[in-house]
Amino acid sequence: VKAKLDAILKTEQAEYLDNLLPASDDLLAEMESYAAEHRVPIADREVARFLEITARAADAKLALECGMAIGYSVIHLLRGMSDDGRVITIDPSDEMISRASDYLTRAGLRERTQIEKGYALEVIPRLNETFDLLFIDAVKEEYRGYLDLALPKLRIGGVVICDNLLWGGQVAGEIRSDDQQASTEALREFNEYFINHPQLRGEVLAVGDGLGYAVKVA
Ligand SMILES: C[S@@+](CC[C@H](N)C(=O)[O-])C[C@H]1O[C@@H](n2cnc3c(N)ncnc32)[C@H](O)[C@@H]1O
């Protein structure tokens, strides 16, 4: 039995853990400021760090990302991988691709990143690679579609990570506005699907905005 239902997620604990994270380096700090200023939703620092840790722990050589934005998560994934590691990432936005290319070049990681311009539901079926890690972080209503398309391309033992599964508290609580209805309901359905998926062993971690974490078992 869990010792205490609210043992971890109190404001005090969350603030403490946030402050415990080492400061971002100059490039990441610049990206965080850019994202805040231009309202680009990039991964929380703890989520980004989790990506780096997991890429390294899984010895991932090739990762697939749905939803690149400015490349903040790509940089973390690649920093967790050995020098021959690569990321294939998908985003339809010219503006995001331009910003990400610039940051990735400055990070010395542009050559290890294959940027696919387009919609993940259309791009994933064209990819013939086998992946070690899948990171889902694009349109919330499409998470199940991304997973269904990408899972056959993930090796057994490969890792699936999905961001925002608690969607700012709305998934387990109240939906804040009409425009959040469809995404929240889709995530509620997705969480059930993800947790009970016969090919996955996974759970939702209390990291960031709720981080799905699973290993492909069959
Ligand atoms: C939450 S952001 C990604 C953040 C990034 N993974 C990070 O942590 O730094 C979502 C991104 O998905 C992109 N996007 C929107 N529709 C998409 C689609 N159908 N397929 C792939 N990406 C999409 C948006 O342009 C946006 O840049």
Side-chain angles (χ1 to χ4, degrees):
V1 178
K2 208 165 179 173
K4 216 162 161 278
L5 202 56
D6 65 348
I8 297 173
L9 288 178
K10 281 179 286 195
T11 310
E12 202 183 357
Q13 270 67 26
E15 282 173 358
Y16 170 80
L17 293 175
D18 199 42
N19 289 328
L20 194 62
L21 286 176
S24 300
D25 64 31
D26 288 350
L27 181 67
L28 293 178
E30 187 183 325
M31 294 173 81
E32 289 158 12
S33 301
Y34 178 90
E37 205 175 302
H38 296 84
R39 296 173 170 271
V40 180
I42 61 168
D44 292 346
R45 289 203 308 143
E46 60 178 9
V47 169
R49 199 169 170 90
F50 189 87
L51 292 173
E52 179 178 340
I53 293 166
T54 306
R56 190 171 289 275
D59 194 22
K61 301 286 181 213
L62 185 60
L64 171 63
E65 174 181 73
C66 303
M68 170 183 66
I70 59 173
Y72 187 75
S73 45
V74 174
I75 289 180
H76 286 83
L77 285 167
L78 286 171
R79 284 185 178 176
M81 294 158 89
S82 49
D83 289 348
D84 57 346
R86 289 193 309 123
V87 174
I88 299 181
T89 181
I90 309 168
D91 205 292
S93 158
D94 285 321
E95 194 189 335
M96 289 300 109
I97 291 173
S98 156
R99 293 306 311 172
S101 299
D102 181 42
Y103 286 128
L104 286 163
T105 302
R106 286 170 58 196
L109 299 171
R110 182 64 188 87
E111 289 93 81
R112 290 167 57 197
T113 311
Q114 180 179 327
I115 300 175
E116 293 287 337
K117 177 178 149 71
Y119 302 108
L121 292 180
E122 291 171 15
V123 173
I124 301 169
R126 297 205 299 264
L127 302 174
N128 295 315
E129 290 82 353
T130 300
F131 296 93
D132 304 301
L133 190 154
L134 167 65
F135 179 44
I136 296 180
D137 194 20
V139 181
K140 307 309 156 194
E141 287 89 328
E142 297 181 354
Y143 271 30
R144 180 173 174 164
Y146 305 150
L147 182 64
D148 286 348
L149 291 172
L151 199 55
K153 300 170 199 272
L154 187 73
R155 72 166 166 85
I156 303 234
V159 175
V160 183
I161 301 175
C162 321
D163 203 7
N164 307 109
L165 296 188
L166 292 174
W167 208 215
Q170 298 178 104
V171 163
E174 265 179 45
I175 298 176
R176 279 195 291 274
S177 58
D178 286 351
D179 65 347
Q180 301 285 298
Q181 186 89 22
S183 52
T184 307
E185 281 170 5
L187 287 172
R188 285 175 182 159
E189 269 180 44
F190 177 80
N191 286 346
E192 302 277 342
Y193 182 69
F194 179 73
I195 290 280
N196 295 299
H197 199 295
Q199 287 177 275
L200 297 174
R201 194 84 178 143
E203 66 182 340
V204 180
L205 304 176
V207 172
D209 190 20
L211 198 65
Y213 183 59
V215 62
K216 181 173 170 179
V217 293

PDB file of all heavy atoms in Angstrom, residues 67-86:
ATOM      1  N   GLY A  67       6.924  15.641 -33.200  1.00  0.00           N
ATOM      2  CA  GLY A  67       6.815  16.974 -32.599  1.00  0.00           C
ATOM      3  C   GLY A  67       8.166  17.479 -32.141  1.00  0.00           C
ATOM      4  O   GLY A  67       8.597  17.213 -31.031  1.00  0.00           O
ATOM      5  N   MET A  68       8.871  18.216 -33.018  1.00  0.00           N
ATOM      6  CA  MET A  68      10.249  18.635 -32.720  1.00  0.00           C
ATOM      7  C   MET A  68      10.309  19.997 -32.049  1.00  0.00           C
ATOM      8  O   MET A  68      11.177  20.234 -31.207  1.00  0.00           O
ATOM      9  CB  MET A  68      11.055  18.676 -34.017  1.00  0.00           C
ATOM     10  CG  MET A  68      12.412  19.321 -33.888  1.00  0.00           C
ATOM     11  SD  MET A  68      13.302  19.422 -35.454  1.00  0.00           S
ATOM     12  CE  MET A  68      12.284  20.573 -36.378  1.00  0.00           C
ATOM     13  N   ALA A  69       9.431  20.914 -32.466  1.00  0.00           N
ATOM     14  CA  ALA A  69       9.522  22.324 -32.057  1.00  0.00           C
ATOM     15  C   ALA A  69      10.927  22.867 -32.346  1.00  0.00           C
ATOM     16  O   ALA A  69      11.433  22.689 -33.446  1.00  0.00           O
ATOM     17  CB  ALA A  69       9.090  22.504 -30.607  1.00  0.00           C
ATOM     18  N   ILE A  70      11.589  23.456 -31.355  1.00  0.00           N
ATOM     19  CA  ILE A  70      12.884  24.105 -31.644  1.00  0.00           C
ATOM     20  C   ILE A  70      14.072  23.166 -31.417  1.00  0.00           C
ATOM     21  O   ILE A  70      15.224  23.600 -31.442  1.00  0.00           O
ATOM     22  CB  ILE A  70      13.060  25.414 -30.836  1.00  0.00           C
ATOM     23  CG1 ILE A  70      12.987  25.153 -29.330  1.00  0.00           C
ATOM     24  CG2 ILE A  70      12.010  26.450 -31.257  1.00  0.00           C
ATOM     25  CD1 ILE A  70      13.330  26.394 -28.478  1.00  0.00           C
ATOM     26  N   GLY A  71      13.800  21.886 -31.175  1.00  0.00           N
ATOM     27  CA  GLY A  71      14.892  20.914 -31.075  1.00  0.00           C
ATOM     28  C   GLY A  71      15.433  20.709 -29.667  1.00  0.00           C
ATOM     29  O   GLY A  71      16.453  20.042 -29.483  1.00  0.00           O
ATOM     30  N   TYR A  72      14.713  21.223 -28.689  1.00  0.00           N
ATOM     31  CA  TYR A  72      15.173  21.131 -27.290  1.00  0.00           C
ATOM     32  C   TYR A  72      15.249  19.674 -26.834  1.00  0.00           C
ATOM     33  O   TYR A  72      16.252  19.241 -26.257  1.00  0.00           O
ATOM     34  CB  TYR A  72      14.204  21.930 -26.413  1.00  0.00           C
ATOM     35  CG  TYR A  72      14.583  22.087 -24.970  1.00  0.00           C
ATOM     36  CD1 TYR A  72      15.597  22.966 -24.588  1.00  0.00           C
ATOM     37  CD2 TYR A  72      13.897  21.390 -23.975  1.00  0.00           C
ATOM     38  CE1 TYR A  72      15.918  23.136 -23.247  1.00  0.00           C
ATOM     39  CE2 TYR A  72      14.208  21.561 -22.634  1.00  0.00           C
ATOM     40  CZ  TYR A  72      15.221  22.435 -22.278  1.00  0.00           C
ATOM     41  OH  TYR A  72      15.531  22.604 -20.946  1.00  0.00           O
ATOM     42  N   SER A  73      14.206  18.892 -27.133  1.00  0.00           N
ATOM     43  CA  SER A  73      14.222  17.478 -26.743  1.00  0.00           C
ATOM     44  C   SER A  73      15.212  16.684 -27.591  1.00  0.00           C
ATOM     45  O   SER A  73      15.839  15.745 -27.093  1.00  0.00           O
ATOM     46  CB  SER A  73      12.821  16.878 -26.839  1.00  0.00           C
ATOM     47  OG  SER A  73      12.183  17.270 -28.043  1.00  0.00           O
ATOM     48  N   VAL A  74      15.368  17.065 -28.860  1.00  0.00           N
ATOM     49  CA  VAL A  74      16.337  16.357 -29.720  1.00  0.00           C
ATOM     50  C   VAL A  74      17.745  16.484 -29.135  1.00  0.00           C
ATOM     51  O   VAL A  74      18.491  15.507 -29.058  1.00  0.00           O
ATOM     52  CB  VAL A  74      16.326  16.920 -31.165  1.00  0.00           C
ATOM     53  CG1 VAL A  74      17.428  16.267 -31.994  1.00  0.00           C
ATOM     54  CG2 VAL A  74      14.980  16.694 -31.825  1.00  0.00           C
ATOM     55  N   ILE A  75      18.094  17.686 -28.704  1.00  0.00           N
ATOM     56  CA  ILE A  75      19.438  17.893 -28.141  1.00  0.00           C
ATOM     57  C   ILE A  75      19.649  16.985 -26.928  1.00  0.00           C
ATOM     58  O   ILE A  75      20.694  16.351 -26.784  1.00  0.00           O
ATOM     59  CB  ILE A  75      19.653  19.385 -27.774  1.00  0.00           C
ATOM     60  CG1 ILE A  75      19.767  20.200 -29.064  1.00  0.00           C
ATOM     61  CG2 ILE A  75      20.888  19.566 -26.891  1.00  0.00           C
ATOM     62  CD1 ILE A  75      19.980  21.697 -28.853  1.00  0.00           C
ATOM     63  N   HIS A  76      18.624  16.875 -26.098  1.00  0.00           N
ATOM     64  CA  HIS A  76      18.772  16.008 -24.922  1.00  0.00           C
ATOM     65  C   HIS A  76      18.904  14.545 -25.314  1.00  0.00           C
ATOM     66  O   HIS A  76      19.721  13.810 -24.764  1.00  0.00           O
ATOM     67  CB  HIS A  76      17.604  16.219 -23.960  1.00  0.00           C
ATOM     68  CG  HIS A  76      17.690  17.505 -23.207  1.00  0.00           C
ATOM     69  ND1 HIS A  76      17.257  18.703 -23.723  1.00  0.00           N
ATOM     70  CD2 HIS A  76      18.217  17.797 -21.993  1.00  0.00           C
ATOM     71  CE1 HIS A  76      17.493  19.672 -22.849  1.00  0.00           C
ATOM     72  NE2 HIS A  76      18.071  19.142 -21.794  1.00  0.00           N
ATOM     73  N   LEU A  77      18.069  14.109 -26.248  1.00  0.00           N
ATOM     74  CA  LEU A  77      18.165  12.715 -26.703  1.00  0.00           C
ATOM     75  C   LEU A  77      19.568  12.424 -27.226  1.00  0.00           C
ATOM     76  O   LEU A  77      20.197  11.433 -26.844  1.00  0.00           O
ATOM     77  CB  LEU A  77      17.131  12.441 -27.805  1.00  0.00           C
ATOM     78  CG  LEU A  77      15.671  12.304 -27.345  1.00  0.00           C
ATOM     79  CD1 LEU A  77      14.726  12.357 -28.541  1.00  0.00           C
ATOM     80  CD2 LEU A  77      15.469  10.996 -26.560  1.00  0.00           C
ATOM     81  N   LEU A  78      20.068  13.311 -28.092  1.00  0.00           N
ATOM     82  CA  LEU A  78      21.375  13.065 -28.711  1.00  0.00           C
ATOM     83  C   LEU A  78      22.508  13.147 -27.691  1.00  0.00           C
ATOM     84  O   LEU A  78      23.491  12.421 -27.793  1.00  0.00           O
ATOM     85  CB  LEU A  78      21.608  14.044 -29.867  1.00  0.00           C
ATOM     86  CG  LEU A  78      20.795  13.716 -31.124  1.00  0.00           C
ATOM     87  CD1 LEU A  78      20.893  14.847 -32.145  1.00  0.00           C
ATOM     88  CD2 LEU A  78      21.257  12.396 -31.763  1.00  0.00           C
ATOM     89  N   ARG A  79      22.368  14.006 -26.714  1.00  0.00           N
ATOM     90  CA  ARG A  79      23.413  14.082 -25.684  1.00  0.00           C
ATOM     91  C   ARG A  79      23.456  12.801 -24.852  1.00  0.00           C
ATOM     92  O   ARG A  79      24.477  12.490 -24.244  1.00  0.00           O
ATOM     93  CB  ARG A  79      23.184  15.293 -24.781  1.00  0.00           C
ATOM     94  CG  ARG A  79      23.579  16.589 -25.472  1.00  0.00           C
ATOM     95  CD  ARG A  79      23.449  17.759 -24.520  1.00  0.00           C
ATOM     96  NE  ARG A  79      23.879  19.011 -25.152  1.00  0.00           N
ATOM     97  CZ  ARG A  79      23.796  20.186 -24.579  1.00  0.00           C
ATOM     98  NH1 ARG A  79      23.315  20.289 -23.354  1.00  0.00           N
ATOM     99  NH2 ARG A  79      24.205  21.266 -25.212  1.00  0.00           N
ATOM    100  N   GLY A  80      22.331  12.075 -24.841  1.00  0.00           N
ATOM    101  CA  GLY A  80      22.313  10.810 -24.103  1.00  0.00           C
ATOM    102  C   GLY A  80      22.819   9.643 -24.936  1.00  0.00           C
ATOM    103  O   GLY A  80      23.029   8.553 -24.409  1.00  0.00           O
ATOM    104  N   MET A  81      22.986   9.873 -26.235  1.00  0.00           N
ATOM    105  CA  MET A  81      23.364   8.782 -27.123  1.00  0.00           C
ATOM    106  C   MET A  81      24.855   8.845 -27.436  1.00  0.00           C
ATOM    107  O   MET A  81      25.474   9.897 -27.319  1.00  0.00           O
ATOM    108  CB  MET A  81      22.533   8.868 -28.424  1.00  0.00           C
ATOM    109  CG  MET A  81      21.043   8.625 -28.169  1.00  0.00           C
ATOM    110  SD  MET A  81      19.953   9.311 -29.444  1.00  0.00           S
ATOM    111  CE  MET A  81      19.858   7.962 -30.583  1.00  0.00           C
ATOM    112  N   SER A  82      25.405   7.720 -27.875  1.00  0.00           N
ATOM    113  CA  SER A  82      26.811   7.726 -28.274  1.00  0.00           C
ATOM    114  C   SER A  82      26.952   8.499 -29.585  1.00  0.00           C
ATOM    115  O   SER A  82      25.958   8.870 -30.211  1.00  0.00           O
ATOM    116  CB  SER A  82      27.335   6.292 -28.400  1.00  0.00           C
ATOM    117  OG  SER A  82      26.440   5.533 -29.175  1.00  0.00           O
ATOM    118  N   ASP A  83      28.187   8.723 -30.024  1.00  0.00           N
ATOM    119  CA  ASP A  83      28.448   9.607 -31.169  1.00  0.00           C
ATOM    120  C   ASP A  83      27.801   9.138 -32.462  1.00  0.00           C
ATOM    121  O   ASP A  83      27.596   9.930 -33.381  1.00  0.00           O
ATOM    122  CB  ASP A  83      29.962   9.761 -31.389  1.00  0.00           C
ATOM    123  CG  ASP A  83      30.586  10.595 -30.290  1.00  0.00           C
ATOM    124  OD1 ASP A  83      29.827  11.228 -29.523  1.00  0.00           O
ATOM    125  OD2 ASP A  83      31.827  10.604 -30.183  1.00  0.00           O
ATOM    126  N   ASP A  84      27.500   7.845 -32.545  1.00  0.00           N
ATOM    127  CA  ASP A  84      26.849   7.335 -33.762  1.00  0.00           C
ATOM    128  C   ASP A  84      25.323   7.342 -33.627  1.00  0.00           C
ATOM    129  O   ASP A  84      24.619   6.903 -34.535  1.00  0.00           O
ATOM    130  CB  ASP A  84      27.358   5.925 -34.112  1.00  0.00           C
ATOM    131  CG  ASP A  84      27.154   4.938 -32.972  1.00  0.00           C
ATOM    132  OD1 ASP A  84      26.872   5.393 -31.834  1.00  0.00           O
ATOM    133  OD2 ASP A  84      27.279   3.724 -33.207  1.00  0.00           O
ATOM    134  N   GLY A  85      24.805   7.855 -32.526  1.00  0.00           N
ATOM    135  CA  GLY A  85      23.357   7.902 -32.326  1.00  0.00           C
ATOM    136  C   GLY A  85      22.708   8.953 -33.212  1.00  0.00           C
ATOM    137  O   GLY A  85      23.314   9.993 -33.509  1.00  0.00           O
ATOM    138  N   ARG A  86      21.471   8.680 -33.647  1.00  0.00           N
ATOM    139  CA  ARG A  86      20.759   9.619 -34.516  1.00  0.00           C
ATOM    140  C   ARG A  86      19.301   9.752 -34.076  1.00  0.00           C
ATOM    141  O   ARG A  86      18.727   8.840 -33.485  1.00  0.00           O
ATOM    142  CB  ARG A  86      20.771   9.125 -35.969  1.00  0.00           C
ATOM    143  CG  ARG A  86      22.142   9.202 -36.644  1.00  0.00           C
ATOM    144  CD  ARG A  86      22.022   9.006 -38.151  1.00  0.00           C
ATOM    145  NE  ARG A  86      21.258   7.815 -38.481  1.00  0.00           N
ATOM    146  CZ  ARG A  86      20.160   7.808 -39.244  1.00  0.00           C
ATOM    147  NH1 ARG A  86      19.683   8.919 -39.768  1.00  0.00           N
ATOM    148  NH2 ARG A  86      19.526   6.676 -39.500  1.00  0.00           N
TER     149      ARG A  86
END
